Amino acid sequence: MQMFEKTSAERLLISIIMMSASTITSSSMDRHQRTITSPQEVNTSLLVLVDTKAMLSCPAVPWTSVLLATWEIVLRDKPPCLRAFRSDTNETTGGNCTDKRITWASGLDKNPALHIDPVAITHDGYYRCQIVIPAGNFHHGYHLQVLVPPEVTLVQTENGTAVCKAFAGKPAAQISWTPEGDCVTEQEPYWGNDTVTIQSTCRWDDRHVPNVSCSVSHLTGNRSLSIKLNQGARTLGFPASGLLIILYVKFSLLLVTLVIVGFVYFQRTNDCRQRHWRDDWKSSSQRKSQVTLRMEATH
């Protein structure tokens, strides 16, 4: 309840400041001829590296004529907040802005810039400065995008493929290979902090590839890693039909070898048997001859 009352009071104070500035502007218009007939607004895109500092400036106008300066901050998944500075009373209000990393820059009497230190991923959003002077209102908006450099790794897996990974980058990185191969690139689900991980797996079937390089392109800078494939090897991964042919040829050679070995073994065994048979026949014939001679000698 106290927070609600405080927020309401701050909004009321800002409204009063705006009304007072309008009154001052109107009275100034009555006294001076208006030189600008319509408000001028500029919007720019701003890329900021995470964990650095950012300075957002208001439109460049003669500061001596500034009546009121306000900053409207619209962050993702958060309600808008408003900061205001009134030059005639040197009064500032933070409204419902609670992020202590977003502050007024020093020297409000010269330029009511906004200072972010350090920049975090949660500071993605739209920042709009409005300057009120007697000649009119000037606006400058910033579409702030926070960049996070990815962590890059390159490894070789057990099956011979190479895997390049750009981990937790914002926005997503892009991966390319040298030499080009048969590659598959996948994006892992978003993390809670809006960073993205990209993984590319590459293989070089039926090619002798000793070295490969992985190049990662990102808004924060480009990186390139190289790796030497084991034994300058080919990536394992023959087509199914080619693998079957290789297995068939190997099996056929093994079968032919077994047949030859078996034939040689059978031939040698047969020769040994015939040799033993001849020797036995000769021995038997000699014994019969000796018996016959003895019998004749006896008669």
Side-chain angles (χ1 to χ4, degrees):
M1 184 64 181
Q2 292 179 354
M3 179 63 68
F4 176 77
E5 291 177 351
K6 182 179 179 182
T7 302
S8 300
E10 289 173 342
R11 290 181 178 177
L12 179 59
L13 176 59
I14 294 173
S15 299
I16 294 174
I17 294 174
M18 294 293 290
M19 291 176 63
S20 301
S22 300
T23 303
I24 298 173
T25 303
S26 300
S27 60
S28 299
M29 288 300 133
D30 294 337
R31 294 193 303 267
H32 302 282
Q33 182 180 2
R34 186 171 183 176
T35 59
I36 300 176
T37 58
S38 62
Q40 296 188 4
E41 182 166 359
V42 178
N43 286 285
T44 58
S45 296
L46 183 62
L47 304 179
V48 182
L49 190 64
V50 69
D51 294 329
T52 61
K53 300 178 182 180
M55 183 77 73
L56 309 182
S57 300
C58 289
V61 297
W63 181 247
T64 55
S65 60
V66 172
L67 306 174
L68 179 69
T70 62
W71 275 99
E72 181 185 10
I73 305 173
V74 184
L75 301 180
R76 185 180 303 174
D77 301 328
K78 292 183 179 180
C81 73
L82 189 68
R83 292 177 178 270
F85 171 72
R86 184 171 175 176
S87 61
D88 60 339
T89 60
N90 202 31
E91 181 182 7
T92 62
T93 177
N96 59 332
C97 301
T98 58
D99 193 333
K100 296 182 179 180
R101 293 166 295 185
I102 303 177
T103 60
W104 293 102
S106 59
L108 282 177
D109 56 338
K110 295 181 180 180
N111 184 14
L114 209 59
H115 190 213
I116 308 176
D117 183 21
V119 175
I121 297 178
T122 54
H123 289 142
D124 262 353
Y126 180 69
Y127 300 74
R128 181 173 180 264
C129 177
Q130 177 179 253
I131 294 293
V132 179
I133 63 174
N137 299 348
F138 293 82
H139 309 268
H140 195 154
Y142 297 89
H143 295 279
L144 181 65
Q145 181 182 1
V146 181
L147 305 180
V148 180
E151 180 183 351
V152 181
T153 60
L154 175 60
V155 296
Q156 182 183 7
T157 61
E158 294 180 356
N159 63 358
T161 60
V163 179
C164 184
K165 199 169 188 177
F167 179 78
K170 181 178 179 294
Q174 295 181 342
I175 298 177
S176 59
W177 291 89
T178 304
E180 296 182 354
D182 183 12
C183 307
V184 177
T185 301
E186 300 174 325
Q187 176 175 309
E188 295 184 3
Y190 282 88
W191 294 71
N193 57 4
D194 293 334
T195 59
V196 185
T197 296
I198 302 295
Q199 176 175 300
S200 181
T201 304
C202 212
R203 60 197 311 152
W204 295 264
D205 292 340
D206 300 328
R207 293 170 57 188
H208 182 76
V209 180
N211 300 282
V212 297
S213 296
C214 159
S215 298
V216 177
S217 301
H218 194 259
L219 290 177
T220 59
N222 302 329
R223 290 193 60 187
S224 181
L225 297 179
S226 299
I227 190 173
K228 183 177 181 180
L229 299 182
N230 292 340
Q231 299 178 351
R234 301 180 182 185
T235 305
L236 299 179
F238 295 99
S241 57
L243 183 60
L244 290 176
I245 292 174
I246 293 174
L247 292 176
Y248 176 77
V249 170
K250 289 184 177 181
F251 178 77
S252 299
L253 291 175
L254 178 62
L255 182 62
V256 171
T257 302
L258 291 176
V259 170
I260 293 174
V261 172
F263 176 77
V264 172
Y265 175 78
F266 175 78
Q267 191 69 26
R268 288 183 176 180
T269 303
N270 189 41
D271 291 343
C272 290
R273 289 179 179 176
Q274 290 181 357
R275 190 178 301 109
H276 286 303
W277 182 80
R278 290 193 192 98
D279 293 340
D280 292 341
W281 184 80
K282 288 180 181 180
S283 300
S284 177
S285 298
Q286 290 177 357
R287 286 195 297 270
K288 288 182 179 180
S289 298
Q290 292 176 359
V291 171
T292 301
L293 291 174
R294 289 175 183 175
M295 291 178 64
E296 290 177 353
T298 303
H299 289 295

